[in-house]
Amino acid sequence: MTTGSFLLDVAPARYLRRIGGAFSVGALALLAAGCEAGVLGPADSAAADIWVGWDRQSDPSVAEYVVYVGTDPDEPQDAVVVEAPTDSVTIRGLEQGRYYVAVSAVSARGVEGPLSEQVSVDVQ
Amino acid sequence: MLEVIEKGIEKIAAAPPCVRRRDGTDAGRRVVVSTVVLGMALLGTAIPRIGALALSAQETPPTTIEPGSSWVDPEHGHRIFRLTGSGATHAYSYWTALNADNSMLFGYTGEPTLWDVEFRDTTVAVTNQRPAFSGGVQLYWEGFFWSRSNPDEGWGTLSTTSNSRLYRYDMATQTPTLIKDFDADSRFSSMFGSGVYLWQLQTGHLQERFAASVRNSSGTVVGVVVWDRTTDDLWTYETPAGEAIDEAHVSNHERYVYIILEGRQSQILDLSDGSLSPILDRSAGHPDMLDTEAIHAGDNGALGYSLVSPYDTRTIFDWPDRTVPGNEHTSTIRHGWIYSSVYGTDGTRDVIYRVRPDGTEWEILARHFSHTGSYSHIPFGAVTYDGQYVVFNSDWGGGQVDIYAVRAGEGEDIPAQVTGVEVKVQN
């Protein structure tokens, strides 16, 4: 497993919450434990970043957003959780390919709303 | 879309940024507990409503709901919509009557039937009633699964007594696509022969592995087939001599298949190695699945049966009054709740309720007002994929059976769909 090839950055600067341990998905890999806010490790020079933004919800019960990312349009493999009212995240270190992104909101009681429309992006 | 149950949201204050896979194999129960604990922590206290169970026997409904209109049950505070008005039923709790975005209703009016649906605040437009399968390929009504991700699509088995075929069906364009002809697969035919057909299709949250009962020409269930549409792996289970199979369920992440046998210990098929294990004798009624647990809810409470350690069971909650015999139930699980529709022989438990998987909190959503004198009058409460509505059948006090929906989201903090998603490549 290659660690540190997948980076996250949050705007505005707020922390993300850890929701898992170390794992790898295809060419992507990371080690969740011990990462600093916004940076998981050195980026692969051949990789690219994507910025994901969405409309911030006015509902005060929304505590988090979950950004699903993956190369399979039917089942995004990875999820990034950001704390509301954050409304964007930068995901670094993506290798070449088509990625599918969708976002959901999660209430303070942990209830997840429906997924947004799926958006695809080609990373060259 | 995965549920909160699978999400694994562990609240670790000021934790660093990380990512996770969506298919953690044992995240389900552990996560649910952490989610509930979170809710309790944020609210200061949990909101256990156990104790408010002094339900009186069901009486005549206080009002009639006209088709397309709604009514808020003053006792329980949730809005009930009437979806149909000329007689219809939906299939069962496992098969969501509404599609992925709640824009189409799949039911039965003497034939599989489809409607367009648009929920508003206090009304619901249900229009364009039409045959669900208008082309040459007819699928079984019972066992039709809406896709969790594509609102137009679903899966079903061929409505026949002589062929075993699985289709993907585009309901918007009425286009069937054959994705598996089991008769042409020797792994299937060598076990079951020819002239058999599939019945009561089931799948998990990934909708990659499908299980179905296999019936012979006389309708006897001769076994179960499980098939993975992504790998073409196939598993078969033959009904033991002298036994009968009720149905087979697939766990959320589709590792386990719960084969319910009538009159003897049911079996757990572990698809990771093909092993079989007996599971503790079930309670009455029908289960729904978590990742590693089967939930039987409604029959005097809710019980969890471990799929990993098949003799482990737990009580999620009990109805305090266990004197009422003859309860049936259905149950479905979405967004951190187990939903169940129940009825009692004296009408005291004719309700749709939900309970947290750890039993710390529960709520009655509505009385269903169905006089369950016949099988078709059983409410079969089915929660939608987004957790917003529980669709149920009701004769509403003893009349014609129609399809209703109670808005589960009302009073609950289910966030709205996120809009305006934009993705840009940097560098």
Side-chain angles (χ1 to χ4, degrees), chain A residues 16 19 23 32 35-36 49 51 53 55 57 64 68 76-77 79 107-110 112 115-116 121, chain B residues 1-2 4 7 11 15-20 22 42 335 361 413 416-419 422 424-426:
Chain A
L16 298 174
I19 53 172
F23 68 96
C35 44
E36 299 297 329
D49 306 342
W51 174 91
D55 294 340
Q57 296 194 349
E64 298 174 325
Y68 293 103
Q77 297 96 335
S107 74
R109 296 174 66 184
E112 182 180 16
L115 281 177
S116 70
V121 62
Chain B
M1 182 174 63
L2 293 187
V4 171
K7 183 171 291 303
K11 304 292 178 179
C18 295
V19 184
R20 70 178 178 86
R22 298 187 74 189
L42 290 177
H335 295 273
E361 189 178 4
D413 52 355
Q417 185 178 35
V418 173
T419 58
E422 188 179 2
K424 298 175 183 174
V425 178
Q426 298 180 328

mmCIF file of all heavy atoms in Angstrom, chain A residues 16 19 23 32 35-36 49 51 53 55 57 64 68 76-77 79 107-110 112 115-116 121, chain B residues 1-2 4 7 11 15-20 22 42 335 361 413 416-419 422 424-426:
data_model
loop_
_atom_site.group_PDB
_atom_site.id
_atom_site.type_symbol
_atom_site.label_atom_id
_atom_site.label_comp_id
_atom_site.label_asym_id
_atom_site.label_seq_id
_atom_site.Cartn_x
_atom_site.Cartn_y
_atom_site.Cartn_z
ATOM 1 N N LEU A 16 -11.519 17.791 9.281
ATOM 2 C CA LEU A 16 -12.374 16.674 8.910
ATOM 3 C C LEU A 16 -12.376 15.689 10.055
ATOM 4 O O LEU A 16 -11.477 15.657 10.876
ATOM 5 C CB LEU A 16 -11.833 15.986 7.658
ATOM 6 C CG LEU A 16 -11.784 16.842 6.419
ATOM 7 C CD1 LEU A 16 -11.099 16.067 5.313
ATOM 8 C CD2 LEU A 16 -13.170 17.245 6.004
ATOM 9 N N ILE A 19 -13.286 8.812 10.113
ATOM 10 C CA ILE A 19 -14.356 7.821 10.137
ATOM 11 C C ILE A 19 -13.854 6.466 9.694
ATOM 12 O O ILE A 19 -14.603 5.619 9.290
ATOM 13 C CB ILE A 19 -15.534 8.244 9.260
ATOM 14 C CG1 ILE A 19 -15.036 8.581 7.854
ATOM 15 C CG2 ILE A 19 -16.261 9.399 9.855
ATOM 16 C CD1 ILE A 19 -16.160 8.819 6.886
ATOM 17 N N PHE A 23 -6.741 2.109 4.671
ATOM 18 C CA PHE A 23 -7.340 1.267 3.658
ATOM 19 C C PHE A 23 -6.695 1.613 2.327
ATOM 20 O O PHE A 23 -5.957 2.581 2.198
ATOM 21 C CB PHE A 23 -8.844 1.490 3.580
ATOM 22 C CG PHE A 23 -9.210 2.836 3.053
ATOM 23 C CD1 PHE A 23 -9.504 3.000 1.721
ATOM 24 C CD2 PHE A 23 -9.215 3.930 3.883
ATOM 25 C CE1 PHE A 23 -9.818 4.246 1.238
ATOM 26 C CE2 PHE A 23 -9.524 5.177 3.403
ATOM 27 C CZ PHE A 23 -9.823 5.341 2.077
ATOM 28 N N ALA A 32 -5.021 6.634 7.238
ATOM 29 C CA ALA A 32 -5.839 7.656 7.866
ATOM 30 C C ALA A 32 -5.260 8.128 9.186
ATOM 31 O O ALA A 32 -5.297 9.299 9.506
ATOM 32 C CB ALA A 32 -7.249 7.130 8.081
ATOM 33 N N CYS A 35 -2.925 11.658 10.326
ATOM 34 C CA CYS A 35 -2.811 12.702 9.325
ATOM 35 C C CYS A 35 -3.146 14.061 9.933
ATOM 36 O O CYS A 35 -3.945 14.175 10.839
ATOM 37 C CB CYS A 35 -3.711 12.395 8.149
ATOM 38 S SG CYS A 35 -5.347 11.834 8.607
ATOM 39 N N GLU A 36 -2.540 15.067 9.409
ATOM 40 C CA GLU A 36 -2.773 16.423 9.877
ATOM 41 C C GLU A 36 -3.908 17.034 9.071
ATOM 42 O O GLU A 36 -4.223 16.593 7.972
ATOM 43 C CB GLU A 36 -1.498 17.267 9.688
ATOM 44 C CG GLU A 36 -0.311 16.749 10.464
ATOM 45 C CD GLU A 36 -0.545 16.796 11.962
ATOM 46 O OE1 GLU A 36 -1.262 17.691 12.414
ATOM 47 O OE2 GLU A 36 -0.029 15.919 12.666
ATOM 48 N N ASP A 49 -5.495 17.198 -8.441
ATOM 49 C CA ASP A 49 -6.422 17.498 -7.364
ATOM 50 C C ASP A 49 -7.793 17.789 -7.962
ATOM 51 O O ASP A 49 -7.897 18.272 -9.093
ATOM 52 C CB ASP A 49 -5.974 18.735 -6.579
ATOM 53 C CG ASP A 49 -4.545 18.617 -6.074
ATOM 54 O OD1 ASP A 49 -4.034 17.475 -6.023
ATOM 55 O OD2 ASP A 49 -3.966 19.649 -5.734
ATOM 56 N N TRP A 51 -11.431 19.860 -6.798
ATOM 57 C CA TRP A 51 -12.143 20.680 -5.827
ATOM 58 C C TRP A 51 -13.625 20.359 -5.947
ATOM 59 O O TRP A 51 -14.172 20.325 -7.048
ATOM 60 C CB TRP A 51 -11.885 22.152 -6.113
ATOM 61 C CG TRP A 51 -12.688 23.114 -5.257
ATOM 62 C CD1 TRP A 51 -12.331 23.652 -4.071
ATOM 63 C CD2 TRP A 51 -13.987 23.651 -5.570
ATOM 64 N NE1 TRP A 51 -13.312 24.489 -3.595
ATOM 65 C CE2 TRP A 51 -14.347 24.509 -4.498
ATOM 66 C CE3 TRP A 51 -14.867 23.495 -6.630
ATOM 67 C CZ2 TRP A 51 -15.549 25.205 -4.472
ATOM 68 C CZ3 TRP A 51 -16.075 24.185 -6.596
ATOM 69 C CH2 TRP A 51 -16.403 25.024 -5.524
ATOM 70 N N GLY A 53 -17.396 21.462 -4.532
ATOM 71 C CA GLY A 53 -18.194 22.432 -3.784
ATOM 72 C C GLY A 53 -19.670 22.107 -3.895
ATOM 73 O O GLY A 53 -20.086 21.354 -4.782
ATOM 74 N N ASP A 55 -23.914 23.591 -2.467
ATOM 75 C CA ASP A 55 -24.705 24.626 -1.815
ATOM 76 C C ASP A 55 -24.840 24.304 -0.334
ATOM 77 O O ASP A 55 -25.350 23.241 0.030
ATOM 78 C CB ASP A 55 -26.102 24.717 -2.450
ATOM 79 C CG ASP A 55 -26.053 25.195 -3.886
ATOM 80 O OD1 ASP A 55 -25.030 25.797 -4.267
ATOM 81 O OD2 ASP A 55 -27.024 24.958 -4.619
ATOM 82 N N GLN A 57 -26.394 24.151 3.169
ATOM 83 C CA GLN A 57 -27.796 24.087 3.578
ATOM 84 C C GLN A 57 -28.042 24.976 4.787
ATOM 85 O O GLN A 57 -27.201 25.078 5.678
ATOM 86 C CB GLN A 57 -28.191 22.643 3.889
ATOM 87 C CG GLN A 57 -28.105 21.738 2.655
ATOM 88 C CD GLN A 57 -28.813 20.419 2.864
ATOM 89 O OE1 GLN A 57 -29.193 20.074 3.959
ATOM 90 N NE2 GLN A 57 -28.987 19.681 1.776
ATOM 91 N N GLU A 64 -22.935 17.659 9.202
ATOM 92 C CA GLU A 64 -21.824 17.218 8.364
ATOM 93 C C GLU A 64 -22.277 17.046 6.929
ATOM 94 O O GLU A 64 -23.479 16.885 6.650
ATOM 95 C CB GLU A 64 -21.289 15.866 8.853
ATOM 96 C CG GLU A 64 -20.738 15.868 10.245
ATOM 97 C CD GLU A 64 -20.354 14.475 10.703
ATOM 98 O OE1 GLU A 64 -21.060 13.512 10.320
ATOM 99 O OE2 GLU A 64 -19.361 14.346 11.408
ATOM 100 N N TYR A 68 -18.827 11.620 -1.446
ATOM 101 C CA TYR A 68 -18.510 10.292 -1.962
ATOM 102 C C TYR A 68 -17.742 10.437 -3.274
ATOM 103 O O TYR A 68 -18.150 11.184 -4.167
ATOM 104 C CB TYR A 68 -19.778 9.481 -2.206
ATOM 105 C CG TYR A 68 -20.509 9.124 -0.943
ATOM 106 C CD1 TYR A 68 -21.661 9.810 -0.568
ATOM 107 C CD2 TYR A 68 -20.061 8.105 -0.126
ATOM 108 C CE1 TYR A 68 -22.342 9.483 0.602
ATOM 109 C CE2 TYR A 68 -20.729 7.766 1.040
ATOM 110 C CZ TYR A 68 -21.865 8.463 1.397
ATOM 111 O OH TYR A 68 -22.526 8.132 2.553
ATOM 112 N N PRO A 76 -19.651 4.707 -5.462
ATOM 113 C CA PRO A 76 -18.430 5.412 -5.067
ATOM 114 C C PRO A 76 -17.790 4.745 -3.855
ATOM 115 O O PRO A 76 -18.478 4.425 -2.892
ATOM 116 C CB PRO A 76 -18.937 6.813 -4.729
ATOM 117 C CG PRO A 76 -20.204 6.946 -5.487
ATOM 118 C CD PRO A 76 -20.810 5.586 -5.514
ATOM 119 N N GLN A 77 -16.490 4.543 -3.925
ATOM 120 C CA GLN A 77 -15.857 3.720 -2.904
ATOM 121 C C GLN A 77 -15.447 4.491 -1.665
ATOM 122 O O GLN A 77 -15.321 3.923 -0.591
ATOM 123 C CB GLN A 77 -14.603 3.047 -3.477
ATOM 124 C CG GLN A 77 -14.882 2.095 -4.619
ATOM 125 C CD GLN A 77 -14.706 2.753 -5.970
ATOM 126 O OE1 GLN A 77 -14.827 3.961 -6.103
ATOM 127 N NE2 GLN A 77 -14.436 1.960 -6.984
ATOM 128 N N ALA A 79 -15.376 7.938 1.000
ATOM 129 C CA ALA A 79 -16.213 8.984 1.560
ATOM 130 C C ALA A 79 -15.363 9.902 2.426
ATOM 131 O O ALA A 79 -14.532 9.437 3.201
ATOM 132 C CB ALA A 79 -17.335 8.388 2.389
ATOM 133 N N SER A 107 -27.445 14.811 9.588
ATOM 134 C CA SER A 107 -27.914 15.597 10.724
ATOM 135 C C SER A 107 -27.053 15.333 11.951
ATOM 136 O O SER A 107 -26.259 14.379 11.991
ATOM 137 C CB SER A 107 -29.372 15.252 11.041
ATOM 138 O OG SER A 107 -29.423 13.984 11.668
ATOM 139 N N ALA A 108 -27.270 16.152 12.964
ATOM 140 C CA ALA A 108 -26.508 15.978 14.204
ATOM 141 C C ALA A 108 -26.802 14.649 14.870
ATOM 142 O O ALA A 108 -26.005 14.151 15.662
ATOM 143 C CB ALA A 108 -26.840 17.123 15.161
ATOM 144 N N ARG A 109 -27.925 14.068 14.533
ATOM 145 C CA ARG A 109 -28.264 12.766 15.105
ATOM 146 C C ARG A 109 -27.807 11.621 14.210
ATOM 147 O O ARG A 109 -28.161 10.474 14.425
ATOM 148 C CB ARG A 109 -29.763 12.684 15.358
ATOM 149 C CG ARG A 109 -30.227 13.685 16.403
ATOM 150 C CD ARG A 109 -31.722 13.694 16.543
ATOM 151 N NE ARG A 109 -32.220 12.432 17.065
ATOM 152 C CZ ARG A 109 -33.518 12.156 17.201
ATOM 153 N NH1 ARG A 109 -34.406 13.027 16.843
ATOM 154 N NH2 ARG A 109 -33.890 10.993 17.673
ATOM 155 N N GLY A 110 -27.051 11.967 13.184
ATOM 156 C CA GLY A 110 -26.478 10.919 12.359
ATOM 157 C C GLY A 110 -27.380 10.413 11.262
ATOM 158 O O GLY A 110 -27.117 9.368 10.672
ATOM 159 N N GLU A 112 -28.675 10.497 7.603
ATOM 160 C CA GLU A 112 -28.156 10.956 6.330
ATOM 161 C C GLU A 112 -29.280 11.249 5.356
ATOM 162 O O GLU A 112 -30.215 10.449 5.203
ATOM 163 C CB GLU A 112 -27.238 9.900 5.718
ATOM 164 C CG GLU A 112 -26.628 10.349 4.392
ATOM 165 C CD GLU A 112 -25.721 9.288 3.790
ATOM 166 O OE1 GLU A 112 -25.800 8.135 4.222
ATOM 167 O OE2 GLU A 112 -24.942 9.633 2.891
ATOM 168 N N LEU A 115 -28.569 11.335 -1.477
ATOM 169 C CA LEU A 115 -27.403 11.776 -2.231
ATOM 170 C C LEU A 115 -27.781 12.875 -3.213
ATOM 171 O O LEU A 115 -28.885 12.887 -3.765
ATOM 172 C CB LEU A 115 -26.809 10.614 -3.021
ATOM 173 C CG LEU A 115 -25.933 9.612 -2.268
ATOM 174 C CD1 LEU A 115 -25.520 8.501 -3.214
ATOM 175 C CD2 LEU A 115 -24.719 10.296 -1.697
ATOM 176 N N SER A 116 -26.847 13.766 -3.451
ATOM 177 C CA SER A 116 -27.020 14.766 -4.500
ATOM 178 C C SER A 116 -26.967 14.096 -5.862
ATOM 179 O O SER A 116 -26.680 12.904 -5.979
ATOM 180 C CB SER A 116 -25.893 15.789 -4.410
ATOM 181 O OG SER A 116 -24.674 15.165 -4.803
ATOM 182 N N VAL A 121 -16.027 13.787 -13.292
ATOM 183 C CA VAL A 121 -14.914 14.641 -13.699
ATOM 184 C C VAL A 121 -13.789 13.742 -14.213
ATOM 185 O O VAL A 121 -13.554 12.651 -13.682
ATOM 186 C CB VAL A 121 -14.432 15.514 -12.518
ATOM 187 C CG1 VAL A 121 -13.909 14.657 -11.377
ATOM 188 C CG2 VAL A 121 -13.378 16.511 -12.967
ATOM 189 N N MET B 1 -27.326 4.412 -2.255
ATOM 190 C CA MET B 1 -26.835 5.207 -1.138
ATOM 191 C C MET B 1 -26.800 4.341 0.118
ATOM 192 O O MET B 1 -27.740 3.636 0.419
ATOM 193 C CB MET B 1 -27.784 6.380 -0.930
ATOM 194 C CG MET B 1 -27.345 7.305 0.174
ATOM 195 S SD MET B 1 -28.410 8.741 0.252
ATOM 196 C CE MET B 1 -29.961 7.983 0.645
ATOM 197 N N LEU B 2 -25.725 4.452 0.819
ATOM 198 C CA LEU B 2 -25.625 3.706 2.057
ATOM 199 C C LEU B 2 -26.355 4.424 3.166
ATOM 200 O O LEU B 2 -26.616 5.612 3.111
ATOM 201 C CB LEU B 2 -24.158 3.543 2.448
ATOM 202 C CG LEU B 2 -23.332 2.678 1.515
ATOM 203 C CD1 LEU B 2 -21.976 2.465 2.118
ATOM 204 C CD2 LEU B 2 -23.997 1.363 1.235
ATOM 205 N N VAL B 4 -26.994 5.408 7.318
ATOM 206 C CA VAL B 4 -26.214 5.783 8.488
ATOM 207 C C VAL B 4 -25.670 4.534 9.165
ATOM 208 O O VAL B 4 -24.573 4.507 9.671
ATOM 209 C CB VAL B 4 -27.087 6.600 9.447
ATOM 210 C CG1 VAL B 4 -26.357 6.789 10.758
ATOM 211 C CG2 VAL B 4 -27.412 7.931 8.819
ATOM 212 N N LYS B 7 -22.548 3.884 7.636
ATOM 213 C CA LYS B 7 -21.652 4.992 7.415
ATOM 214 C C LYS B 7 -20.472 4.983 8.364
ATOM 215 O O LYS B 7 -19.363 5.368 8.002
ATOM 216 C CB LYS B 7 -22.430 6.304 7.562
ATOM 217 C CG LYS B 7 -21.577 7.528 7.270
ATOM 218 C CD LYS B 7 -22.421 8.764 7.214
ATOM 219 C CE LYS B 7 -23.317 8.728 5.996
ATOM 220 N NZ LYS B 7 -22.538 8.592 4.769
ATOM 221 N N LYS B 11 -17.571 9.983 15.996
ATOM 222 C CA LYS B 11 -17.303 11.363 16.334
ATOM 223 C C LYS B 11 -16.058 11.456 17.197
ATOM 224 O O LYS B 11 -16.069 11.100 18.352
ATOM 225 C CB LYS B 11 -18.503 11.955 17.069
ATOM 226 C CG LYS B 11 -19.792 11.828 16.290
ATOM 227 C CD LYS B 11 -19.751 12.701 15.059
ATOM 228 C CE LYS B 11 -21.024 12.523 14.251
ATOM 229 N NZ LYS B 11 -21.058 13.359 13.064
ATOM 230 N N ALA B 15 -10.450 15.438 15.108
ATOM 231 C CA ALA B 15 -9.681 14.390 14.461
ATOM 232 C C ALA B 15 -9.152 14.881 13.119
ATOM 233 O O ALA B 15 -9.692 15.796 12.534
ATOM 234 C CB ALA B 15 -10.564 13.165 14.246
ATOM 235 N N PRO B 16 -8.102 14.292 12.642
ATOM 236 C CA PRO B 16 -7.536 14.729 11.379
ATOM 237 C C PRO B 16 -8.386 14.290 10.196
ATOM 238 O O PRO B 16 -9.269 13.449 10.333
ATOM 239 C CB PRO B 16 -6.177 14.024 11.376
ATOM 240 C CG PRO B 16 -6.391 12.807 12.203
ATOM 241 C CD PRO B 16 -7.346 13.204 13.260
ATOM 242 N N PRO B 17 -8.138 14.855 9.040
ATOM 243 C CA PRO B 17 -8.918 14.511 7.869
ATOM 244 C C PRO B 17 -8.583 13.121 7.375
ATOM 245 O O PRO B 17 -7.418 12.760 7.267
ATOM 246 C CB PRO B 17 -8.492 15.569 6.852
ATOM 247 C CG PRO B 17 -7.119 15.936 7.263
ATOM 248 C CD PRO B 17 -7.102 15.829 8.753
ATOM 249 N N CYS B 18 -9.564 12.368 7.092
ATOM 250 C CA CYS B 18 -9.351 11.021 6.614
ATOM 251 C C CYS B 18 -10.489 10.611 5.696
ATOM 252 O O CYS B 18 -11.468 11.285 5.573
ATOM 253 C CB CYS B 18 -9.248 10.036 7.771
ATOM 254 S SG CYS B 18 -7.818 10.331 8.810
ATOM 255 N N VAL B 19 -10.317 9.482 5.124
ATOM 256 C CA VAL B 19 -11.262 8.946 4.164
ATOM 257 C C VAL B 19 -11.516 7.505 4.537
ATOM 258 O O VAL B 19 -10.705 6.870 5.173
ATOM 259 C CB VAL B 19 -10.681 9.035 2.738
ATOM 260 C CG1 VAL B 19 -11.683 8.563 1.714
ATOM 261 C CG2 VAL B 19 -10.239 10.444 2.446
ATOM 262 N N ARG B 20 -12.627 6.999 4.118
ATOM 263 C CA ARG B 20 -12.876 5.605 4.398
ATOM 264 C C ARG B 20 -13.512 4.937 3.188
ATOM 265 O O ARG B 20 -14.084 5.598 2.347
ATOM 266 C CB ARG B 20 -13.834 5.450 5.577
ATOM 267 C CG ARG B 20 -15.246 5.878 5.245
ATOM 268 C CD ARG B 20 -16.166 5.666 6.409
ATOM 269 N NE ARG B 20 -17.502 6.127 6.094
ATOM 270 C CZ ARG B 20 -18.418 5.394 5.479
ATOM 271 N NH1 ARG B 20 -18.123 4.178 5.099
ATOM 272 N NH2 ARG B 20 -19.599 5.872 5.225
ATOM 273 N N ARG B 22 -16.456 2.528 1.610
ATOM 274 C CA ARG B 22 -17.866 2.404 1.928
ATOM 275 C C ARG B 22 -18.265 0.971 2.252
ATOM 276 O O ARG B 22 -19.386 0.720 2.607
ATOM 277 C CB ARG B 22 -18.716 2.882 0.759
ATOM 278 C CG ARG B 22 -18.505 4.326 0.426
ATOM 279 C CD ARG B 22 -19.484 4.773 -0.597
ATOM 280 N NE ARG B 22 -20.817 4.926 0.001
ATOM 281 C CZ ARG B 22 -21.908 5.147 -0.699
ATOM 282 N NH1 ARG B 22 -21.840 5.209 -2.002
ATOM 283 N NH2 ARG B 22 -23.062 5.288 -0.115
ATOM 284 N N LEU B 42 -25.327 14.631 22.074
ATOM 285 C CA LEU B 42 -25.647 15.970 21.616
ATOM 286 C C LEU B 42 -26.911 16.506 22.271
ATOM 287 O O LEU B 42 -27.044 17.685 22.533
ATOM 288 C CB LEU B 42 -25.820 15.957 20.095
ATOM 289 C CG LEU B 42 -24.542 15.741 19.301
ATOM 290 C CD1 LEU B 42 -24.862 15.667 17.825
ATOM 291 C CD2 LEU B 42 -23.552 16.856 19.575
ATOM 292 N N HIS B 335 -31.569 4.193 7.481
ATOM 293 C CA HIS B 335 -31.160 5.410 8.164
ATOM 294 C C HIS B 335 -31.187 5.290 9.686
ATOM 295 O O HIS B 335 -31.665 6.169 10.394
ATOM 296 C CB HIS B 335 -32.025 6.589 7.710
ATOM 297 C CG HIS B 335 -31.834 6.928 6.268
ATOM 298 N ND1 HIS B 335 -30.862 7.776 5.830
ATOM 299 C CD2 HIS B 335 -32.456 6.468 5.170
ATOM 300 C CE1 HIS B 335 -30.908 7.846 4.516
ATOM 301 N NE2 HIS B 335 -31.863 7.064 4.091
ATOM 302 N N GLU B 361 -34.288 3.982 21.620
ATOM 303 C CA GLU B 361 -35.287 4.985 21.262
ATOM 304 C C GLU B 361 -36.276 4.352 20.293
ATOM 305 O O GLU B 361 -35.875 3.599 19.405
ATOM 306 C CB GLU B 361 -34.563 6.152 20.581
ATOM 307 C CG GLU B 361 -35.391 7.372 20.329
ATOM 308 C CD GLU B 361 -34.542 8.471 19.691
ATOM 309 O OE1 GLU B 361 -33.359 8.227 19.403
ATOM 310 O OE2 GLU B 361 -35.084 9.549 19.467
ATOM 311 N N ASP B 413 -35.082 14.682 11.748
ATOM 312 C CA ASP B 413 -34.155 15.597 11.105
ATOM 313 C C ASP B 413 -33.433 14.934 9.934
ATOM 314 O O ASP B 413 -32.217 14.839 9.920
ATOM 315 C CB ASP B 413 -33.148 16.133 12.120
ATOM 316 C CG ASP B 413 -32.471 15.018 12.892
ATOM 317 O OD1 ASP B 413 -32.862 13.852 12.698
ATOM 318 O OD2 ASP B 413 -31.562 15.313 13.658
ATOM 319 N N ALA B 416 -32.165 17.582 3.798
ATOM 320 C CA ALA B 416 -32.601 17.640 2.406
ATOM 321 C C ALA B 416 -31.457 17.208 1.493
ATOM 322 O O ALA B 416 -30.299 17.123 1.898
ATOM 323 C CB ALA B 416 -33.045 19.052 2.066
ATOM 324 N N GLN B 417 -31.806 16.958 0.250
ATOM 325 C CA GLN B 417 -30.802 16.595 -0.734
ATOM 326 C C GLN B 417 -29.865 17.779 -0.981
ATOM 327 O O GLN B 417 -30.310 18.920 -1.094
ATOM 328 C CB GLN B 417 -31.472 16.181 -2.041
ATOM 329 C CG GLN B 417 -30.503 15.670 -3.097
ATOM 330 C CD GLN B 417 -31.221 15.217 -4.358
ATOM 331 O OE1 GLN B 417 -32.232 15.799 -4.746
ATOM 332 N NE2 GLN B 417 -30.717 14.176 -4.978
ATOM 333 N N VAL B 418 -28.609 17.488 -1.055
ATOM 334 C CA VAL B 418 -27.611 18.518 -1.329
ATOM 335 C C VAL B 418 -27.695 18.891 -2.810
ATOM 336 O O VAL B 418 -27.795 18.025 -3.685
ATOM 337 C CB VAL B 418 -26.199 18.014 -0.978
ATOM 338 C CG1 VAL B 418 -25.142 19.016 -1.426
ATOM 339 C CG2 VAL B 418 -26.097 17.754 0.520
ATOM 340 N N THR B 419 -27.656 20.180 -3.075
ATOM 341 C CA THR B 419 -27.740 20.658 -4.456
ATOM 342 C C THR B 419 -26.481 21.447 -4.795
ATOM 343 O O THR B 419 -25.669 21.772 -3.920
ATOM 344 C CB THR B 419 -28.974 21.547 -4.653
ATOM 345 O OG1 THR B 419 -28.894 22.655 -3.729
ATOM 346 C CG2 THR B 419 -30.248 20.768 -4.386
ATOM 347 N N GLU B 422 -20.499 20.858 -7.523
ATOM 348 C CA GLU B 422 -19.624 21.272 -8.615
ATOM 349 C C GLU B 422 -18.249 20.662 -8.368
ATOM 350 O O GLU B 422 -17.787 20.623 -7.224
ATOM 351 C CB GLU B 422 -19.537 22.804 -8.624
ATOM 352 C CG GLU B 422 -18.819 23.386 -9.806
ATOM 353 C CD GLU B 422 -18.792 24.913 -9.750
ATOM 354 O OE1 GLU B 422 -19.303 25.499 -8.767
ATOM 355 O OE2 GLU B 422 -18.234 25.503 -10.680
ATOM 356 N N LYS B 424 -14.221 20.588 -9.857
ATOM 357 C CA LYS B 424 -13.227 21.166 -10.763
ATOM 358 C C LYS B 424 -11.893 20.450 -10.566
ATOM 359 O O LYS B 424 -11.514 20.138 -9.440
ATOM 360 C CB LYS B 424 -13.033 22.655 -10.466
ATOM 361 C CG LYS B 424 -14.269 23.516 -10.671
ATOM 362 C CD LYS B 424 -13.992 24.940 -10.234
ATOM 363 C CE LYS B 424 -15.241 25.801 -10.351
ATOM 364 N NZ LYS B 424 -15.012 27.167 -9.797
ATOM 365 N N VAL B 425 -11.213 20.235 -11.676
ATOM 366 C CA VAL B 425 -9.880 19.667 -11.606
ATOM 367 C C VAL B 425 -8.887 20.795 -11.402
ATOM 368 O O VAL B 425 -8.958 21.807 -12.076
ATOM 369 C CB VAL B 425 -9.544 18.889 -12.894
ATOM 370 C CG1 VAL B 425 -8.118 18.350 -12.829
ATOM 371 C CG2 VAL B 425 -10.530 17.753 -13.089
ATOM 372 N N GLN B 426 -8.032 20.603 -10.453
ATOM 373 C CA GLN B 426 -6.987 21.595 -10.227
ATOM 374 C C GLN B 426 -5.662 21.038 -10.723
ATOM 375 O O GLN B 426 -5.549 19.847 -11.012
ATOM 376 C CB GLN B 426 -6.926 21.951 -8.749
ATOM 377 C CG GLN B 426 -8.237 22.583 -8.267
ATOM 378 C CD GLN B 426 -8.207 22.955 -6.800
ATOM 379 O OE1 GLN B 426 -7.560 22.286 -6.012
ATOM 380 N NE2 GLN B 426 -8.903 24.008 -6.450
#
